[in-house]
Amino acid sequence: MSSKIVALHLPVSLVAYRHGNVAVLKLNRPHKRNALDDETIIGIERFFTSLPEDVCSVVLAGEGEHFSAGLDLSELSERSISEGIAHSRLWHRAFEKIQFGNVPVVAVLHGAVVGGGLELAAAAHVRVAEHSTYYALPEGSRGIYVGGGGSVRLPPLIGVARMIDMLLTGRTYSAEEGQAIGLTTYLVDPGKGFSKGLELAQRIAGNAPLTNFAIMHALPRIAGMDPASGYAVEALMASIAQAEPDAKARVKDFLEKRAPKATPD
Ligand code: 1HE
C-alpha cells in the first residue's frame, strides 16, 4: 500500500511517496534522461532533510529508461568560476544529506548511471542494479570534472585507478562488471530492481535505529581513522548500541527462540 508524501514541496522532477515506513524518491525527468538540474538537486536536499520521523529507510530510483544522465549540461555554459564552486558545493550539501542523513538509502539502478548520476548513486548506502545498468564518467570528454563528491565517494568503492581510467578514457562498465568491481552489491533481472530495493529497505527499516545510526555515521568515519582511534570509537559505539532497551529485547527474543536465526536467504 503506497501513499504520497505531500508536505515536501518537491519540484516536478521528483516524485515521493511511501510504502509504510519506507519512503520512495524517484527522479522524474525521463524526457531528459533524469539529468540533474539545480532544482532537482535542491529538491533532493529538501526531501532528505524533511522526511517524516516515522520513515526508517528510503528507496531512490529513476523513472524511464535510465537512472540518471548526470549533470544537466544545459545549465553549465553560463557559469563563472565562483558560480561553478557554489554549484559543486550545492551538490555536496545535498548528497551529504543522503549519506549522513537520518535513515539508510537503497539506490535502484538501471540504464545509464553516468557522471553526476553515478555520484548520486555512490551517496546511497546499498546499491541494486538491473542488468540494463551501465556506468560511465564522461566528464573527461565534456571538458569538466566530477563535482558531486565523486572524488571522495567513488575511490573507496572501485579504487582510484579505475576512477582515473573511467575519467581519462570514457570507459564504461556494464552492470555485471559494476557488480564485480564493487559499485553494486545486488544484481537483478530487468524490472526486478524496485521490488528488490523495497524488500531491502523494508528489512533495513526493521533494524534498531541506533544500529542503523552506527552503520551510517560511525562506520565510514572509522574507516578513515587510524586503527587505534577506530578501535576506540568502535568500542564506544558498540557499547552504546547494546545498551538500548531495543537491543536487549532483540537479544532476549533470540535467546528465548522467538527471533529468526542468521541463516542463508
Ligand atoms: C540531457 C542530458 C544531460 C540527456 N544534460 N540534457 N552527462 C553526460 O555526458 C551524458 C549525456 N547524455 C547521454 O549521453 C545520453 O542522453 C544518454 C546515453 C544518457 C541517453 O541517450 P538517449 O539516446 O536515450 O537520449 P538523448 O536523445 O541523448 O537525450 C534525450 C534528451 O535528454 C535530449 O534532449 P532533447 O531536448 O533533444 O529531447 C538530451 O539533450 C537530453 N539529455 N542527457 C542535459 N546530461 C556535479 S558534476 C557532474 C558532472 C557530470 O555529470 S558530467 C556527465 C554529463
Side-chain angles (χ1 to χ4, degrees):
M1 184 69 177
S2 67
S3 60
K4 208 161 176 223
I5 297 184
V6 281
L8 296 175
H9 304 297
L10 297 178
V12 290
S13 55
L14 294 171
V15 172
Y17 57 97
R18 53 189 292 173
H19 280 271
N21 58 359
V22 176
V24 176
L25 181 66
K26 284 194 172 174
L27 306 175
N28 187 39
R29 264 188 113 197
H31 58 291
K32 292 288 179 188
R33 308 307 183 248
N34 293 327
L36 300 165
D37 58 2
D38 287 358
E39 200 182 38
T40 306
I41 297 296
I42 291 165
I44 289 173
E45 182 178 14
R46 184 170 303 140
F47 174 85
F48 282 99
T49 48
S50 45
L51 278 172
E53 273 185 18
D54 60 338
V55 163
C56 300
S57 61
V58 170
V59 175
L60 172 65
E63 287 289 357
E65 298 300 305
H66 303 279
F67 175 73
S68 173
L71 173 69
D72 187 322
L73 293 166
S74 69
E75 289 189 342
L76 188 68
S77 49
E78 302 306 323
R79 268 187 214 119
S80 66
I81 290 176
S82 55
E83 286 166 346
I85 290 172
H87 176 261
S88 177
R89 286 168 60 77
L90 167 71
W91 281 53
H92 291 165
R93 222 173 40 239
F95 292 4
E96 182 90 359
K97 302 293 185 330
I98 301 175
Q99 185 179 6
F100 295 114
N102 288 336
V103 296
V105 180
V106 179
V108 174
L109 310 177
H110 72 295
V113 181
V114 306
L118 180 53
E119 295 183 283
L120 172 60
H125 303 93
V126 176
R127 280 164 292 280
V128 177
E130 294 189 358
H131 280 286
S132 62
T133 311
Y134 66 95
Y135 310 94
L137 293 172
E139 282 85 345
S141 65
R142 309 269 183 243
I144 55 179
Y145 183 66
V146 285
S151 315
V152 173
R153 292 196 184 91
L154 286 169
L157 293 176
I158 63 173
V160 177
R162 281 200 188 87
M163 185 169 174
I164 289 175
D165 181 21
M166 289 176 83
L167 280 165
L168 284 178
T169 69
R171 172 191 183 142
T172 63
Y173 282 100
S174 66
E176 295 74 20
E177 289 170 325
Q179 173 80 3
I181 65 175
L183 278 173
T184 55
T185 48
Y186 297 87
L187 185 58
V188 297
D189 287 335
K192 301 281 186 217
F194 188 78
S195 56
K196 184 67 186 176
L198 186 60
E199 175 205 321
L200 295 169
Q202 284 166 336
R203 209 185 292 178
I204 290 166
N207 293 340
L210 202 49
T211 303
N212 281 347
F213 172 83
I215 295 163
M216 289 175 65
H217 291 270
L219 178 57
R221 282 157 175 136
I222 289 171
M225 288 176 188
D226 65 279
S229 307
Y231 292 135
V233 174
E234 182 187 83
L236 290 171
M237 197 64 251
S239 62
I240 292 168
Q242 76 195 22
E244 278 279 280
D246 186 9
K248 295 197 183 309
R250 285 164 185 256
V251 172
K252 191 163 181 274
D253 280 349
F254 175 76
L255 294 174
E256 293 174 3
K257 316 256 182 250
R258 288 189 299 271
K261 297 183 182 187
T263 49
D265 291 334

